[in-house]
Amino acid sequence: MWDDAFPSFLIGLREGLEAGLIVSVLVATLVRAGAKSRLPQVWTGVLAAIALSMSFGAVLTFTAASLSTAAQEAFGGTLSLVAVAFVTAMVFWMRRSARSLAGEIKEKVTEALTMGAGVLVLTSFLAVGREGLETALFLWTTARAADESAGPPTGAGIGLVLAAVLCWGLYRRVLSINLTRFFTATGTVLIVIAAGVLGYGLRDLQEGGLLPGGTAYAVDLSGSVDAGSWYSTLLQGVLNLTPTMTWLQVAGYVGYLGVVMALFVRGVRGVAPALSPSPTRPAPATPAPSGPAPATQPRPAKAPSPQPTPHRPAWLIPVAVVAVPAILAGLVVALAHPKPAGGETVAVSEKDCGQGFTAPEPGRQTFQMRNTGDQTSEVYLIDPATNAVYGEIEGLAPGTTRDLVATVAGGTYAWRCVPADGKAVTSKAVRVGGAAGAGAVVPVSEQDLAGPLRAYKAYVNRGLATLVTETRKLSDDIRAGRLDTARADWLTAHRTYASLGAAYGTFEDFDQKINGRPDGLPGGVHDKDFTGFQRIEYGLWHGQSADQLKGPVRRLADDTAGLRRAFPHQDFDASDLPLRAHEILENTLQFELTGDTDQGSGTGLATADANLAGTRELLAVLRPLIATRAPHLLPTADADIARLQALLDAEHRDGRWTPVDRLDRTAKARIDGAMGQLLEDLSPVPDLLEIRKSA
């Protein structure tokens, strides 16, 4: 979060300080001129600028959300380039104008005092509004690049608050800041950040189909850099540098940074450092000299008397200038938001399934699904010829309405309504013209998973039989006092158990007994309830005697034998198989590759290797189902597995595994990166093979 917050913090601080300095000069000039009664006009212009900026941000956010995926990428990429242009112009303008800013504003205020209230409102509105619009646009682009909603607004908020405090301190003369140096330093950092935004925007335009070269990578470090590491997250959040970048991204980044930074630095060298300019309090009046004034001394001009104006409430103009941008923004968002297909609600029930459904237009559509029956139902938008699912809602309660968003292309569509205690009902199909292309998932039934489940249960049964034999041998080693042999046999048995990862959820209490961790136990590793492989590992590698380990190892042998007897009668949920394709290695990354489960043996990589073998076995039984739904997934996953396997094998030399905490930084990053990439490529499996009632 905080790495994503820094660019927005900097833009909030810098733009807020620019706008705050302008407002401070406006206020100070009016106070010095004895025109405090005109201050509400300044604040009215400021409020109007804030309202316009927030409304602009709302329009960007909500209109982009209503676009198709490709259009969102193109829209975001275009605005990223606009934001870079604005920020670049702002950086150069402030470098040039920081020293003369106060004088220019004072001249404008002096002119405005001789004219109507509207001119002063407009002066403050234009002065602050530009900064506000730049802030809104840059904040929107950085938030979109971060792909999360908390960090960027938090950073911008902190920056704006700090800018307000600094401006107050400058106005009250309790702070002294060399603003030329401040704007030079922040300008340098913003140019680097803007280069990253430019690269991200170019990537968006490539993904939106507006620019070529989307698959021509100049940099691809995904196999050697962990995308989830703190340093990778920091670089991506602050500088928008990612492990994979196209040639166009790299050219844009390097070209912009080289040209703009060179021009900026050359301009800075030509500007002498300025003293810290600060909007000041009104200066005390200078006493008039005694004696008569010289005849040539002009008398001060008398301010023109204000013309009587019709009475209006004091709050009317401020409310109007705030409300008008908000109303206009609301109209833009409302007109840009897609309407439900056919402009009607689609009914969901046994009797009325699909009532009100008409052929939608191609593109991203929102359907309002209303349950008109008396049972909770699931509803699916399907291709009736193949049962492929384009969108779904689960648990739609009677009398309720929820939106279902789906992308529609050329093809045939129908609704399938599945009440909780009734039969599935399919609506009349409609035909949508145009080219095919909408993504759909062919549903999986329990019957489809029955064959893979039988094959995997047979694999687990064989593994448990081997495990019982290996734990008995481990027990014999310890009872005979052969602790060196026991260490080797412990690893063999533990790897066998680790390779059965997809069945852990079925083992019930046996898993905690056989492979439980000491985390959360009152006595930690010395607690009486700490049992199983990790308990014996702790004893073998912490100098405990055979007598101390006889009890724990006998219990382990008994528990593995009990699990083997119980497993054929345990309920193995078929829906667990697709989930475990991702979760086995997710746990490996969280526990084994961090050393969290290491009790002294340093064999975390050996366990990771066994988990990988278990995942490979699971994918083997699921392969036919995956191949018919996502044929591109399996070759990618196979390549990921081979790469990770090679990295693990490289750390297994002369029968010994490198402990995780002794891996050099490069090797650790490569293993973590390969594991992260494999997890990302396997992540669609649970959704692809989810059991759906529409099948």
Side-chain angles (χ1 to χ4, degrees):
M1 169 181 167
W2 295 112
D3 49 295
D4 292 325
F6 177 74
S8 298
F9 163 77
L10 187 62
I11 198 70
L13 174 61
R14 185 185 170 98
E15 296 279 13
L17 191 55
E18 287 184 30
L21 286 172
I22 292 171
V23 173
S24 298
V25 173
L26 286 170
V27 172
T29 305
L30 288 175
V31 172
R32 178 174 295 180
K36 289 185 178 181
S37 61
R38 306 289 292 274
L39 287 177
Q41 298 165 15
V42 173
W43 297 121
T44 298
V46 171
L47 286 175
I50 293 173
L52 178 65
S53 302
M54 295 181 69
S55 300
F56 179 57
V59 168
L60 291 178
T61 301
F62 293 108
T63 55
S66 66
L67 300 174
S68 66
T69 301
Q72 286 187 44
E73 300 292 350
F75 182 71
T78 301
L79 288 185
S80 294
L81 268 58
V82 173
V84 170
F86 278 175
V87 170
T88 305
M90 174 266 292
V91 166
F92 280 90
W93 177 81
M94 183 50 76
R95 187 205 66 194
R96 183 177 62 253
S97 305
R99 304 181 66 192
S100 59
L101 178 66
E104 294 177 3
I105 296 298
K106 289 176 183 177
E107 290 180 7
K108 293 181 180 179
V109 174
T110 302
E111 294 175 2
L113 283 173
T114 64
M115 305 177 73
V119 176
L120 193 55
V121 171
L122 183 63
T123 300
S124 59
F125 170 77
L126 292 177
V128 178
R130 188 192 67 173
E131 319 301 335
L133 291 175
E134 289 178 356
T135 302
L137 179 57
F138 197 81
L139 178 60
W140 185 85
T141 55
T142 53
R144 190 172 184 276
D147 199 23
E148 59 106 352
S149 58
T154 300
I158 295 173
L160 290 171
V161 170
L162 181 57
V165 172
L166 292 176
C167 288
W168 178 87
L170 291 171
Y171 180 79
R172 305 296 297 181
R173 286 186 171 180
V174 297
L175 286 177
S176 179
I177 300 176
N178 189 316
L179 292 177
T180 299
R181 290 181 179 175
F182 172 83
F183 286 117
T184 298
T186 56
T188 302
V189 178
L190 276 178
I191 289 173
V192 177
I193 292 175
V197 174
L198 175 63
Y200 179 85
L202 292 173
R203 180 59 178 163
D204 273 353
L205 292 175
Q206 288 179 316
E207 293 179 350
L210 297 184
L211 290 177
T215 58
Y217 292 105
V219 178
D220 186 0
L221 303 178
S222 58
S224 56
V225 174
D226 179 11
S229 63
W230 67 268
Y231 53 85
S232 180
T233 303
L234 183 65
L235 286 175
Q236 187 165 343
V238 176
L239 304 180
N240 273 306
L241 292 176
T242 58
T244 57
M245 296 182 70
T246 64
W247 283 104
L248 182 60
Q249 281 182 280
V250 172
Y253 186 95
V254 174
Y256 173 88
L257 195 59
V259 173
V260 175
M261 188 66 78
L263 293 174
F264 184 78
V265 171
R266 186 172 64 180
V268 168
R269 290 174 178 171
V271 178
L275 298 176
S276 81
S278 61
T280 61
R281 282 174 157 176
T286 304
S290 59
T296 58
Q297 182 176 349
R299 296 173 60 86
K302 186 176 181 180
S305 302
Q307 297 297 319
T309 57
H311 176 72
R312 68 169 68 92
W315 50 265
L316 182 61
I317 293 180
V319 170
V321 298
V322 172
V324 168
I327 292 172
L328 292 176
L331 290 174
V332 171
V333 172
L335 293 174
H337 194 72
K339 298 179 181 179
E344 298 180 5
T345 298
V346 180
V348 178
S349 75
E350 276 188 287
K351 297 180 180 179
D352 303 325
C353 185
Q355 183 176 340
F357 180 48
T358 57
E361 294 293 326
R364 184 182 174 90
Q365 298 293 337
T366 301
F367 303 94
Q368 291 184 334
M369 312 306 300
R370 180 167 181 78
N371 189 340
T372 58
D374 56 4
Q375 295 186 51
T376 299
S377 297
E378 297 182 7
V379 58
Y380 303 87
L381 179 63
I382 65 168
D383 179 347
T386 62
N387 288 331
V389 177
Y390 293 95
E392 62 187 289
I393 292 178
E394 297 180 355
L396 184 62
T400 60
T401 302
R402 284 161 58 186
D403 285 352
L404 187 153
V405 181
T407 300
V408 176
T412 305
Y413 296 84
W415 294 103
R416 182 159 294 167
C417 307
V418 187
D421 297 321
K423 295 181 179 181
V425 179
T426 304
S427 73
K428 181 180 178 181
V430 300
R431 178 73 186 175
V432 176
V441 176
V442 179
V444 171
S445 66
E446 289 191 29
Q447 185 60 36
D448 293 329
L449 281 171
L453 181 59
R454 284 193 300 271
Y456 193 77
K457 288 178 73 173
Y459 164 76
V460 173
N461 272 316
R462 293 192 300 271
L464 289 176
T466 302
L467 180 65
V468 169
T469 301
E470 291 170 348
T471 53
R472 285 176 180 168
K473 187 174 186 303
L474 174 61
S475 179
D476 292 342
D477 293 337
I478 291 177
R479 281 187 297 161
R482 299 188 296 268
L483 297 187
D484 287 340
T485 305
R487 292 185 184 95
D489 289 341
W490 173 89
L491 180 57
T492 301
H494 188 242
R495 280 170 50 83
T496 297
Y497 185 79
S499 68
L500 308 178
Y504 286 174
T506 306
F507 290 166
E508 299 174 348
D509 294 338
F510 282 104
D511 182 49
Q512 181 62 31
K513 296 175 183 177
I514 293 173
N515 202 36
R517 298 193 300 273
D519 306 0
L521 295 177
V525 294
H526 303 294
D527 197 279
K528 62 181 179 59
D529 292 327
F530 181 34
T531 62
F533 278 110
Q534 293 195 35
R535 165 65 183 90
I536 297 167
E537 176 188 7
Y538 179 83
L540 286 173
W541 275 272
H542 284 82
Q544 291 187 352
S545 66
D547 288 340
Q548 290 174 292
L549 293 173
K550 286 179 181 178
V553 77
R554 183 172 58 250
R555 182 173 176 180
L556 173 63
D558 292 342
D559 287 336
T560 55
L563 174 58
R564 184 191 178 192
R565 290 191 300 270
F567 179 71
H569 310 290
Q570 291 176 327
D571 183 20
F572 199 144
D573 191 342
S575 63
D576 281 352
L577 288 180
L579 293 173
R580 298 296 184 266
H582 186 265
E583 290 179 350
I584 297 173
L585 297 181
E586 204 169 54
N587 289 336
T588 305
L589 185 62
Q590 181 180 359
F591 297 113
E592 272 68 39
L593 294 186
T594 60
D596 184 73
T597 55
D598 185 9
Q599 302 299 328
S601 67
T603 57
L605 292 184
T607 305
D609 180 71
N611 288 335
L612 183 62
T615 299
R616 189 185 290 110
E617 183 68 29
L618 179 58
L619 289 176
V621 301
L622 295 175
R623 185 172 291 268
L625 294 177
I626 298 174
T628 58
R629 290 161 175 81
H632 63 283
L633 190 152
L634 288 171
T636 302
D638 289 342
D640 292 342
I641 290 173
R643 179 170 57 181
L644 179 57
Q645 186 67 67
L647 292 170
L648 292 174
D649 290 344
E651 303 303 328
H652 185 207
R653 306 181 189 93
D654 300 325
R656 295 179 178 273
W657 291 87
T658 305
V660 171
D661 60 358
R662 295 183 187 175
L663 286 170
D664 65 67
R665 186 174 300 178
T666 301
K668 180 66 164 62
R670 287 176 176 170
I671 291 173
D672 288 347
M675 181 69 78
Q677 187 63 53
L678 176 56
L679 281 171
E680 182 177 341
D681 291 334
L682 289 178
S683 61
V685 173
D687 186 60
L688 282 174
L689 304 186
E690 178 186 354
I691 295 176
R692 290 178 167 89
K693 294 181 180 179
S694 63

